[in-house]
Amino acid sequence: MTDKVMWGFQTHFSVGESIIDPEEGVKLAADAGYTHVALADTMSVSALISATKQGKKSGVKVIPGVTLRVKNPYIEWGYLYPRVYAKTEAAMKRLYALLSDTEKDRDWHYVTLEKLCDALADDMMVTSGIVYGLYGSSLQVM
């Protein structure tokens, strides 16, 4: 059987981006024939435990990850939203550390690009995720 992966799955823990309950989302993925679900809520890992428990019941492997809000150093008020997935327990611990050491910009908590780069290693996978504010009138090249 060929693996079928649902990438970038988000739950109601991505406030304002999804209304899907983690358990229900994994059930729906299983019903649709997915073998893996790559979970990446925005700035949250809160859904991982319940999604993983449901994955075991449904025969779906949950790939843990997070969509990080990363301050774009080249644009004022611009953010990048890469999705970072952990392949090992050590990688997951580094994601927890990133989420525990955020900066605050107005109402938003974010990770600095420097901290993200320091945390990345071969036991993580990064996808482009969402890009907001990539092109703006305040583009500054350093």
Side-chain angles (χ1 to χ4, degrees):
M1 180 169 121
T2 304
D3 289 337
K4 186 175 175 185
V5 182
M6 178 187 291
W7 289 102
F9 172 62
Q10 291 184 295
T11 73
H12 60 75
F13 287 102
S14 290
V15 179
E17 298 172 34
S18 178
I19 59 170
I20 298 172
D21 176 79
E23 296 90 352
E24 187 60 28
V26 173
K27 286 180 196 174
L28 290 170
D31 291 346
Y34 286 96
T35 57
H36 295 72
V37 172
L39 179 60
D41 280 319
T42 301
M43 298 297 286
S44 175
V45 291
S46 298
L48 286 175
I49 292 172
S50 57
T52 301
K53 285 181 182 178
Q54 183 59 50
K56 287 179 181 176
K57 291 179 190 174
S58 303
V60 173
K61 168 110 173 96
V62 175
I63 301 167
V66 64
T67 302
L68 294 171
R69 182 180 300 111
V70 179
K71 179 73 170 160
N72 185 338
Y74 303 107
I75 300 173
E76 187 177 353
W77 303 113
Y79 297 96
L80 306 171
Y81 290 82
R83 292 188 170 129
V84 183
Y85 299 98
K87 297 179 185 178
T88 65
E89 186 177 330
M92 200 64 223
K93 286 180 181 179
R94 289 195 311 280
L95 282 178
Y96 292 145
L98 276 174
L99 291 171
S100 299
D101 187 25
T102 61
E103 307 287 329
K104 189 166 183 193
D105 198 4
R106 287 191 182 174
D107 297 325
W108 299 101
H109 285 273
Y110 66 90
V111 173
T112 65
L113 186 58
E114 181 180 12
K115 287 179 185 174
L116 172 60
C117 290
D118 287 345
L120 293 177
D122 289 342
D123 59 353
M124 293 179 156
M125 187 181 78
V126 180
T127 64
S128 59
I130 310 162
V131 180
Y132 293 121
L134 181 60
Y135 303 103
S137 58
S138 61
L139 177 65
Q140 300 173 5
V141 179
M142 298 175 99

